[in-house]
Amino acid sequence: MPTPEPIIIPLPQRRAQKRERPNLRFQARRLGWQLHLLRHWWLARHRSYQPFFVIASARTGSNLLVEYLNQVPDVHCLSEILNWRSPIAPRRRVGAAGAIRHIRRWLQTARTPHRGCKLFFNHLDDFRLNLPDLEAAFPGAKYIVLYRESLAEQFVSLEQARLTNQWLLLPGEQRKQRPVTVDPVALRKFCDDTRRDYQQLFSHPAIHHRGTIFSYEELFENPGRLMGEQVCSLLGVGAIQPKAPLRKQNPEPLAVRVENYSAVAALIASPLCQQRHELQRQRTARRIAA
C-alpha cells in the first residue's frame, strides 16, 4: 500500500482584532477530520510500529526535514497535528491526555513500520504536553531534534513569514518579500526563550539515549550524509539520497532583509544570537572521526 502523503499545515493569516462569529465552516472541517480519525481507529487493523517525534521550533527547516523523512521507505512523518489553529488538530481545552489520544489516532492512519509527527515547542505548551507524557504514552519512542544555529536568521525568517503569510515556497511559486525592522528587545527575548526550550528538552535522558540533534545549517549543507548518518541510522532504516521539493525562502543576507541592520548588527553578530547543540555520543563520535 503506498505511503500516505504528509500533511503540512501553514499557520493562518493574522486577523484584525474584532469580534467575529464562530467559524462554522472551520468547525465542520474539524468534525470531519475527527470522524476520519475515529473511522481509522475503530475500523482499520492496528499494527505495531516504532514511534518517533520530530521536535523543533518554527523556521528551523522542519518542513524540509518532514519531506525528507517521507522519502525514506517504511517511514511516514505527519506534520503539525497539534496546531490547534488547523482543523486537523483538537481544541486546546482537551489538554495533555486529549493531545496524546489525538497523536495515537493520527499515527494509526499511517501504515508504515516507522511512524512519527512533528511537534513544535509552542504546540506542546498549548496542550500542556511534555516529554515525560510522550515517554509514558509511547515507550521506546525515538526523537529527532532540529534547531537553527543562527537565532537572528530564525527570528527574521519568522517575522517575514508572519508579514507575508508565506510559510512554504514550492517550485513555481512567487516569493513574497517584506523588509523587517528588528526590535532588539524582542530579538533578545526570542533568543533567550528559544535557547531555554532546547536546554530543558536536553535535560531528559530519553533524548540522549534514543535521540539525535542537528541544525538547519547542517541539514542544508549536506542532506544526504546527515539523513544517512543521523536520521536513518537512528530509525534503523536504509539511507537515501533525499530530493528537495521546497525552495529556500530567504537566500539574501540579513543586511539586505533587515531595514535597521546597522542599528542591530552588533547584537546579531553577538554570541547571544548563536546556539550550538550536540549530544554526548555525537561529540564522542566526532572526536573519534577527527
Side-chain angles (χ1 to χ4, degrees):
M1 187 174 180
T3 303
E5 291 293 326
I7 298 176
I8 299 175
I9 305 298
L11 294 178
Q13 295 182 356
R14 286 183 169 182
R15 295 184 176 182
Q17 297 295 323
K18 63 180 182 179
R19 198 176 192 88
E20 295 184 354
R21 295 180 179 179
N23 190 330
L24 298 181
R25 180 177 297 180
F26 180 88
Q27 294 176 8
R29 291 175 62 197
R30 172 171 276 160
L31 177 61
W33 279 112
Q34 294 301 317
L35 293 174
H36 169 79
L37 294 180
L38 288 172
R39 184 176 71 250
H40 273 274
W41 184 258
W42 293 109
L43 300 181
R45 181 180 177 183
H46 288 222
R47 301 176 186 273
S48 61
Y49 61 91
Q50 169 63 57
F52 68 90
F53 298 101
V54 174
I55 301 181
S57 52
R59 312 311 288 174
T60 57
S62 59
N63 286 326
L64 182 62
L65 177 57
V66 169
E67 289 285 351
Y68 286 161
L69 281 164
N70 285 310
Q71 295 173 25
V72 180
D74 295 329
V75 174
H76 183 64
C77 184
L78 297 159
S79 190
E80 300 169 29
I81 58 175
L82 290 186
N83 180 359
W84 61 269
R85 297 178 182 87
S86 162
I88 71 166
R91 294 179 175 85
R92 282 192 294 179
R93 65 170 179 259
V94 303
I100 290 292
R101 184 168 57 249
H102 185 75
I103 293 172
R104 285 190 189 279
R105 290 175 177 174
W106 260 114
L107 294 182
Q108 169 61 16
T109 65
R111 292 291 180 267
T112 54
H114 301 268
R115 308 176 195 174
C117 65
K118 179 175 70 172
L119 301 173
F120 280 161
F121 287 108
N122 63 308
H123 296 163
L124 294 172
D125 291 341
D126 287 339
F127 292 94
R128 302 179 298 283
L129 188 63
N130 55 36
L131 198 67
D133 294 328
L134 292 175
E135 279 287 283
F138 302 94
K142 298 186 178 181
Y143 300 93
I144 303 170
V145 183
L146 181 64
Y147 72 100
R148 196 158 185 165
E149 295 177 23
S150 174
L151 290 165
E153 283 277 3
Q154 184 179 352
F155 177 83
V156 173
S157 177
L158 185 59
E159 290 300 303
Q160 287 184 302
R162 286 170 174 165
L163 288 171
T164 62
N165 196 41
Q166 187 175 56
W167 300 88
L168 292 172
L169 187 60
L170 298 172
E173 288 186 341
Q174 184 68 32
R175 184 161 60 96
K176 300 177 182 178
Q177 294 178 287
R178 289 280 298 274
V180 173
T181 299
V182 171
D183 178 355
V185 175
L187 176 56
R188 290 189 182 93
K189 184 178 186 307
F190 173 83
C191 293
D192 291 340
D193 291 346
T194 302
R195 191 178 287 105
R196 183 194 63 241
D197 286 339
Y198 283 99
Q199 289 173 346
Q200 289 178 348
L201 182 67
F202 300 146
S203 67
H204 297 283
I207 299 295
H208 298 269
H209 296 158
R210 286 176 271 110
T212 188
I213 179 171
F214 49 86
S215 68
Y216 163 85
E217 288 82 356
E218 293 172 303
L219 180 66
F220 186 78
E221 180 182 2
N222 196 331
R225 185 179 68 183
L226 188 141
M227 288 294 296
E229 293 179 357
Q230 296 205 46
V231 177
C232 294
S233 61
L234 175 73
L235 298 179
V237 297
I240 63 163
Q241 184 60 42
K243 299 178 182 179
L246 303 176
R247 295 165 54 198
K248 187 176 176 63
Q249 284 187 256
N250 302 303
E252 298 89 355
L254 289 178
V256 175
R257 290 149 48 205
V258 176
E259 282 188 314
N260 61 331
Y261 182 79
S262 60
V264 295
L267 174 60
I268 287 174
S270 72
L272 176 68
C273 292
Q274 299 291 324
Q275 62 176 343
R276 187 79 172 92
H277 301 293
E278 201 171 31
L279 300 181
Q280 180 59 47
R281 71 170 184 276
Q282 292 175 313
R283 189 179 301 113
T284 301
R286 181 169 54 82
R287 287 174 180 173
I288 292 174

